[in-house]
Amino acid sequence: MLIHEFVSGNKPVMVLIHGVLTPWQVWMPQIEFYKNRYNVYAVSLNAHTEEKRSEFISVCAEAKDIIRRLKERGIQVVDVLCGISLGGKIAHEIWKNGKIEVLNLVLDGAPLVKCPKFAVRIMISNYKSIIHRSKRREAKVIENYKRYFLPEKYLESYLKIADRMSDASIENMVNSVFAGGELRTSANKSRILFIHGTKANEVLSKKSARLMKKYYPETRIVCFNGCAHCYTMIYQPEQWIECVEKFLQE
């Protein structure tokens, strides 16, 4: 794991956690927008480090590692904690842990509900296929990546991640993300924003948002109709920032 710092002076802290098969650079529009107001820390999760190979063990292990690294930097309070997809699951775990105070929790497409085992097996197989074919630089996979997953400007970073990612990390990520988990009262009395779309597998995000609302009634839910998983944050960052800004400024 690596944490990329955009820090100057004594400012509130913002922590950004990316999703599966996604480089940390996907947060660059948000970093550029917020770095003058916050000290921004963008996480490169294990199995997603471009500089060297690393292994993903579990959501809990990633959350504990992030907490440890923040505390080593003297950070006890995070003003804004954002996570998308896998990163949202990890951000939720950090918040639930309660060892660092989180004032505002922003989750986008966070899968907090358990997924059927057969669906998990299919996802593991699909992710392995994507990674293996990416390592071989198959043209169809590269084209689909640019069209449906991330803009072309992130391609080089993604391929570095793919080249270093192991099958074990993929299995650990998918199994850990979709294992479900207890939603219990957190020591953090945070304001919570949950963002999700409506297309394809966003049904899991929608269920997760409703579950958060059930246990934490003050949760604010924003739905981007017609959008796929984390599409707005990745392909329309200005609209995503506008949504989050409205929440933070209220």
Side-chain angles (χ1 to χ4, degrees), residues 182-198:
E182 181 184 4
L183 283 180
R184 60 177 182 267
T185 302
S186 170
N188 286 303
K189 303 301 180 183
S190 314
R191 300 175 66 246
I192 302 172
L193 172 63
F194 200 117
I195 301 169
H196 67 83
T198 58

Side-chain angles (χ1 to χ4, degrees), residues 146-203:
K146 294 185 291 186
R147 185 177 298 177
Y148 303 114
F149 194 62
L150 287 172
E152 185 173 3
K153 61 184 175 181
Y154 302 120
L155 178 61
E156 182 179 351
S157 295
Y158 162 72
L159 290 174
K160 289 179 181 178
I161 290 170
D163 287 344
R164 291 166 174 78
M165 187 169 290
S166 69
D167 285 357
S169 283
I170 295 171
E171 292 171 8
N172 291 339
M173 274 187 284
V174 178
N175 283 323
S176 182
V177 166
F178 294 109
E182 181 184 4
L183 283 180
R184 60 177 182 267
T185 302
S186 170
N188 286 303
K189 303 301 180 183
S190 314
R191 300 175 66 246
I192 302 172
L193 172 63
F194 200 117
I195 301 169
H196 67 83
T198 58
K199 291 179 69 176
N201 60 350
E202 278 298 83
V203 64

Side-chain angles (χ1 to χ4, degrees), residues 2-234:
L2 294 171
I3 296 184
H4 305 271
E5 300 183 4
F6 301 83
V7 175
S8 63
N10 185 21
K11 292 182 289 192
V13 171
M14 174 180 281
V15 177
L16 308 173
I17 311 175
H18 63 79
V20 64
L21 307 191
T22 306
W24 71 269
Q25 290 92 336
V26 74
W27 288 111
M28 284 309 301
Q30 287 79 3
I31 291 168
E32 288 299 319
F33 185 87
Y34 284 112
K35 67 181 182 181
N36 292 328
R37 201 162 91 218
Y38 295 93
N39 282 333
V40 182
Y41 298 82
V43 178
S44 272
L45 297 170
N46 284 310
H48 295 80
T49 48
E50 299 173 44
E51 296 79 1
K52 61 181 180 179
R53 182 171 180 150
S54 56
E55 297 294 333
F56 188 100
I57 304 303
S58 70
V59 164
C60 288
E62 295 292 300
K64 289 178 180 178
D65 199 0
I66 293 171
I67 291 170
R68 178 182 63 81
R69 290 168 184 265
L70 292 176
K71 284 183 172 290
E72 286 176 351
R73 289 165 169 80
I75 297 171
Q76 300 292 336
V77 178
V78 172
D79 195 83
V80 187
L81 174 60
C82 298
I84 61 169
S85 192
L86 164 66
K89 176 85 168 184
I90 294 168
H92 177 264
E93 189 67 27
I94 292 170
W95 169 79
K96 189 171 68 173
N97 182 286
K99 290 185 178 179
I100 283 184
E101 184 178 2
V102 177
L103 303 183
N104 297 279
L105 177 65
V106 179
L107 306 176
D108 187 345
L112 306 180
V113 296
K114 191 171 184 178
C115 194
K117 290 183 178 180
F118 77 90
V120 171
R121 289 195 295 269
I122 291 172
M123 281 187 278
I124 290 173
S125 177
N126 287 342
Y127 278 131
K128 284 183 178 179
S129 175
I130 291 169
I131 290 297
H132 294 168
R133 295 171 70 188
S134 294
K135 290 178 179 180
R136 296 194 295 268
R137 303 298 192 265
E138 292 187 16
K140 185 176 181 180
V141 171
I142 302 302
E143 187 59 35
N144 284 341
Y145 171 92
K146 294 185 291 186
R147 185 177 298 177
Y148 303 114
F149 194 62
L150 287 172
E152 185 173 3
K153 61 184 175 181
Y154 302 120
L155 178 61
E156 182 179 351
S157 295
Y158 162 72
L159 290 174
K160 289 179 181 178
I161 290 170
D163 287 344
R164 291 166 174 78
M165 187 169 290
S166 69
D167 285 357
S169 283
I170 295 171
E171 292 171 8
N172 291 339
M173 274 187 284
V174 178
N175 283 323
S176 182
V177 166
F178 294 109
E182 181 184 4
L183 283 180
R184 60 177 182 267
T185 302
S186 170
N188 286 303
K189 303 301 180 183
S190 314
R191 300 175 66 246
I192 302 172
L193 172 63
F194 200 117
I195 301 169
H196 67 83
T198 58
K199 291 179 69 176
N201 60 350
E202 278 298 83
V203 64
L204 294 176
S205 302
K206 184 177 181 180
K207 288 181 179 179
S208 299
R210 288 178 174 176
L211 197 60
M212 284 293 287
K213 186 75 172 178
K214 176 182 176 181
Y215 284 93
Y216 310 101
E218 299 304 314
T219 299
R220 177 73 56 84
I221 298 175
V222 172
C223 173
F224 287 114
N225 285 313
C227 289
H229 189 59
C230 300
Y231 179 89
T232 304
M233 182 270 164
I234 294 170

